């Protein structure tokens, strides 16, 4: 474990081996806006200043995965390069954050948990949908399943925990809500999140290039379809 | 089309695989690729170069009929039985297939996965840069699914050959070597030592996504479900479910996971673990990253 001195006082990034040909640069052990922002920023820096021997860079919720070829760069050498980049002054990481409008049919058969979620928050269904759509969210990460995106964060007053039970299968396009976030399922998945609606957006198509439309750092506005 | 092959009978989860779909984790897609990458490479080397894709079959084997044309073929992986037009052939083996030939691969004494490769390419589209089947995502290979009886595969002249690599004399016994995992520090020290001392057992709940282990000594019995931020997963990660069940994540693993991971099986030993049959007892040994790199360099030296 190698602590690198980050310039961001909120984050003390750790460089952690993940098997013999990957490592994680982790900016926090709990999910926070600061840790996510730091991870996305560092992934962008690695795109701008690629390290020889690194073959894949993937931002996650609070970390960046680097897959590397040990024959080309050793772990300690790579950790050193990462330490330099973590402290380097990079003024403009110039991430091209795009905004997406995602239309959602809230409630009904495809959003069975909406009444329950609204009730927990002491809101009518309509007031919950309005509150849900009020703030522009950011795509925090793609993960868990093909094209599955985590979007956050909602204000504290809209936070609910996950369901106690996991649904073995919800349909592609399901809009999910838990832990201050809204997630969008791009494929059929099992989930313990509340299913609050459904979108026609399919964020994964293996035959499309690129196969996903939303990427970490993009902003999302949800709109209710009538 | 230089040949047409009819899949006349197949084992469950028989798939088309190539070296895998790497670089797609940002879209939520793991690399897939052969469960026993060394056997897959050995089949190509035996042919003096193979088309990039081959067929991965499971314990009950595979039957192929050559409908048209011909090709050279190689068989490798585990220890199966095989015959060509009802005449027994060796395992592993290389040979020729001509129109009308019937290649039968039946169960054998060792392993879960075997490979059939050709000196030709398989006529299937590249999906996200690869022909590998990812069963979890339902993409690649033959319409994103496992092969079934009645499927016909076309063989074509490959644009490039995969040279493969002859099998290095791999340790066939001994512990499975691991590196401590992403969340090893979340487990108490006595769990670390018991993890390395006690035996685990391969269960029948195994597929291309993961291999569930039985933990008869209860090493992880007291593991409470830690709440972790979902983070990147690599093949070989050993995750511990909330009920204490260890699962080794394999080639079609999900891209990220929220269960704690105590260790990661090194690349040199993941193939061997994939070939262990249900009921096999397994022990783990921790090695250093430097040692794991030395082993992977040895493996790739003759490439």
């Amino acid at each position: 474990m190698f602590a690198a001195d980050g310039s961001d006082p909120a984050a003390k990034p750790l460089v952690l081996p993940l098997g013999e040909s990957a490592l994680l640069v982790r900016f926090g052990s709990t999910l926070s806006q600061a840790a996510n922002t730091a991870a996305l920023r560092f992934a962008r820096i690695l795109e701008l200043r690629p390290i020889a021997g690194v073959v894949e860079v993937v931002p996650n919720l609070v970390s960046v995965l680097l897959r590397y070829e040990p024959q080309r760069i050793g772990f300690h050498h790579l950790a050193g390069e990462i330490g330099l980049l973590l402290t380097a002054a990079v003024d403009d990481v110039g991430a091209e954050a795009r905004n997406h409008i995602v239309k959602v049919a809230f409630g009904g058969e495809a959003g069975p948990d909406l009444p329950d979620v609204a009730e927990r928050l002491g809101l009518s269904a309509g007031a919950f949908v309005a509150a849900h759509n009020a703030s522009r969210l950011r795509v925090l990460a793609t993960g868990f399943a093909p094209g599955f995106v985590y979007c956050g964060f909602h204000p504290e007053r809209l936070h609910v925990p996950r369901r106690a039970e996991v649904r073995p299968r919800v349909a592609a396009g399901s809009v999910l809500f838990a832990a201050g976030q809204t997630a969008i399922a791009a494929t059929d998945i099992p989930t313990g999140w509340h299913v609050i609606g459904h979108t026609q957006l399919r964020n994964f198509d293996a035959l499309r290039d690129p196969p996903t439309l939303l990427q970490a750092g993009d902003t999302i506005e949800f709109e209710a379809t009538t | 089309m230089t040949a047409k092959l009819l899949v006349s009978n197949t084992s469950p989860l028989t798939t088309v695989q190539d070296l895998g779909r790497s670089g797609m984790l940002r879209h939520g897609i793991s690399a897939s690729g052969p469960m026993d990458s060394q056997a897959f490479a050995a089949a190509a080397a035996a042919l003096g170069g193979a088309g990039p894709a081959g067929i991965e079959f499971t314990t009950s084997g595979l039957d192929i009929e050559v409908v048209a044309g011909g090709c050279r073929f190689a068989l490798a992986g585990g220890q199966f039985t095989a015959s060509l037009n009802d005449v027994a052939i060796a395992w592993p083996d290389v040979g020729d297939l001509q129109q009308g030939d019937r290649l039968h691969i039946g169960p054998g004494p060792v392993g879960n996965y075997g490979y059939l490769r050709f000196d030709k390419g398989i006529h299937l589209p590249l999906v996200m840069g690869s022909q590998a089947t990812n069963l979890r995502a339902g993409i690649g290979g033959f319409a994103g699914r496992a092969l079934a009886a009645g499927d016909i595969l076309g063989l074509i002249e490959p644009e490039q050959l995969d040279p493969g690599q002859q099998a290095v004399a791999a340790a066939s016994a001994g512990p499975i070597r691991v590196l401590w995992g992403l969340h090893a520090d979340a487990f108490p020290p006595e769990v670390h030592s018991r993890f390395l001392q006690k035996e685990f057992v391969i269960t029948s709940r195994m597929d291309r996504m993961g291999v569930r282990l039985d933990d008869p000594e209860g090493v992880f019995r007291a593991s409470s479900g830690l709440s972790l931020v979902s983070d990147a997963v690599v093949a070989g990660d050993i995750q511990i479910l909330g009920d204490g069940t260890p699962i080794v994540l394999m080639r079609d693993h999900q891209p990220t996971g929220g269960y704690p991971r105590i260790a990661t099986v090194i690349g040199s030993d993941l193939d061997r673990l994939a070939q262990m049959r249900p009921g096999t007892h397994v022990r783990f040994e921790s090695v250093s990253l430097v040692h794991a790199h030395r082993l992977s360099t040895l493996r790739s030296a003759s490439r």
Side-chain angles (χ1 to χ4, degrees):
Chain A
M1 215 175 278
F2 297 83
D5 288 330
S7 51
D8 180 356
K12 205 174 188 185
L14 295 174
V15 178
L16 303 159
L18 183 57
E20 72 213 65
S21 54
L23 60 76
L24 280 184
V25 185
R26 204 173 68 186
F27 294 86
S29 53
T30 56
L31 180 54
S32 67
Q33 184 70 70
N36 180 253
T37 303
L40 294 187
R41 183 173 188 276
F42 190 60
R44 182 68 185 149
I45 290 172
L46 287 168
E47 274 175 30
L48 296 173
R49 302 190 181 178
I51 301 172
V54 172
V55 293
E56 188 170 12
V57 173
V58 189
N60 302 296
L61 285 169
V62 296
S63 72
V64 180
L65 172 78
L66 285 83
R67 287 201 312 112
Y68 64 98
E69 293 180 345
Q71 286 79 35
R72 292 175 60 199
I73 187 165
F75 176 79
H76 290 275
H77 182 186
L78 178 53
E81 295 291 326
I82 288 166
L84 285 176
L85 281 182
L86 284 168
T87 51
V90 181
D91 295 335
D92 182 18
V93 297
E96 38 146 346
R98 296 165 303 169
N99 186 55
H100 307 268
I101 291 172
V102 177
K103 291 187 171 13
V104 179
F106 284 95
E109 263 178 44
D113 298 327
L114 182 73
D116 179 46
V117 168
E119 193 185 322
R120 276 168 187 254
L121 295 170
L123 298 170
S124 69
F128 167 74
V129 169
H132 175 274
N133 295 355
S135 38
R136 185 184 279 200
L137 302 185
R138 194 170 284 281
V139 177
L140 303 174
T142 303
F144 174 61
F148 181 97
V149 286
Y150 300 87
C151 308
F153 289 97
H154 293 287
E156 195 81 33
R157 64 189 171 82
L158 290 182
H159 287 205
V160 294
R162 294 184 213 182
R163 285 159 46 87
E165 278 172 44
V166 171
R167 283 197 174 87
R169 192 181 188 88
V170 301
S174 290
V175 176
L176 313 172
F177 185 75
Q181 299 161 61
T182 297
I184 307 169
T187 55
D188 294 356
I189 52 157
T191 186
W193 290 40
H194 304 275
V195 183
I196 60 168
H198 191 265
T199 178
Q200 298 297 320
L201 173 74
R202 292 292 175 277
N203 189 38
F204 179 77
D205 179 349
L207 303 181
R208 195 167 55 201
D209 186 19
T212 52
L213 301 169
L214 312 180
Q215 56 176 339
D218 288 356
T219 53
I220 302 285
E221 290 176 76
F222 289 100
E223 277 184 11
T225 57
T226 45
Chain B
M1 213 73 77
T2 65
K4 266 188 180 178
L5 308 179
L6 167 69
V7 177
S8 49
N9 199 4
T10 181
S11 44
L13 305 184
T14 292
T15 56
V16 173
Q17 295 295 333
D18 63 12
L19 291 176
R21 185 176 286 107
S22 57
M24 294 294 161
L25 283 168
R26 66 169 52 236
H27 304 295
I29 295 288
S30 57
S32 301
M35 292 289 280
D36 183 344
S37 61
Q38 290 165 84
F40 188 76
L47 284 167
I55 301 175
E56 176 180 277
F57 45 86
T58 57
T59 41
S60 49
L62 178 70
D63 285 276
I64 293 280
E65 288 175 33
V66 184
V67 181
C71 63
R72 281 177 62 69
F73 73 95
L75 294 166
Q79 182 75 49
F80 288 76
T81 55
S83 63
L84 184 56
N85 303 324
D86 300 320
V87 178
I89 57 175
W91 192 277
D93 202 6
V94 288
D96 291 297
L97 288 176
Q98 281 155 24
Q99 188 169 343
D101 279 350
R102 286 171 293 111
L103 177 65
H104 169 73
I105 300 154
V110 177
N112 298 311
Y113 299 97
Y115 296 91
L116 171 59
R117 296 192 73 173
F118 311 102
D119 63 346
K120 310 291 184 209
I122 301 181
H123 186 54
L124 289 169
L126 287 172
V127 177
M128 295 171 74
S130 163
Q131 293 183 312
T133 313
N134 182 327
L135 290 175
R136 179 187 282 275
I139 64 168
F142 198 97
R145 62 167 171 82
L147 290 174
D151 288 343
I152 289 181
L153 294 172
L155 300 189
I156 51 172
E157 289 303 331
E159 280 178 24
Q160 56 184 24
L161 287 174
D162 171 8
Q165 185 181 18
Q166 286 187 353
V168 282
S172 58
I176 294 288
R177 291 161 294 185
V178 298
L179 298 164
W180 288 115
L182 190 56
H183 309 109
D185 57 356
F187 295 88
E190 59 268 27
V191 169
H192 294 169
S193 49
R194 281 168 57 78
F195 172 66
L196 300 179
Q197 285 158 4
K198 302 299 181 186
E199 283 195 332
F200 295 83
V201 185
I202 306 282
T203 71
S204 58
R205 297 185 68 180
M206 58 157 67
D207 57 22
R208 291 188 41 85
M209 299 165 207
V211 176
R212 270 179 194 246
L213 304 179
D214 195 15
D215 173 16
E217 303 279 346
V219 172
F220 295 106
R221 193 179 292 146
S223 294
S224 56
L226 288 162
S227 177
L228 297 166
V229 188
S230 184
D231 219 331
V233 162
V234 294
D237 271 352
I238 305 177
Q239 70 176 17
I240 311 300
L241 300 189
D243 66 0
T245 304
I247 299 184
V248 187
L249 298 169
M250 305 302 283
R251 308 283 177 193
D252 287 359
H253 63 83
Q254 59 185 54
T256 61
Y259 290 110
R261 285 165 258 154
I262 188 163
T264 304
V265 177
I266 67 170
S268 301
D269 283 3
L270 192 59
D271 293 335
R272 183 154 64 92
L273 184 112
Q275 292 287 21
M276 289 179 167
R277 289 188 169 178
T280 305
H281 289 238
V282 55
R283 278 205 327 105
F284 295 101
E285 175 183 283
S286 106
V287 295
S288 69
L289 191 52
V290 171
H291 188 64
H293 282 167
R294 199 176 299 136
L295 290 168
S296 70
T297 304
L298 283 177
R299 262 201 310 156
S300 61
S302 54
R303 253 174 225 165

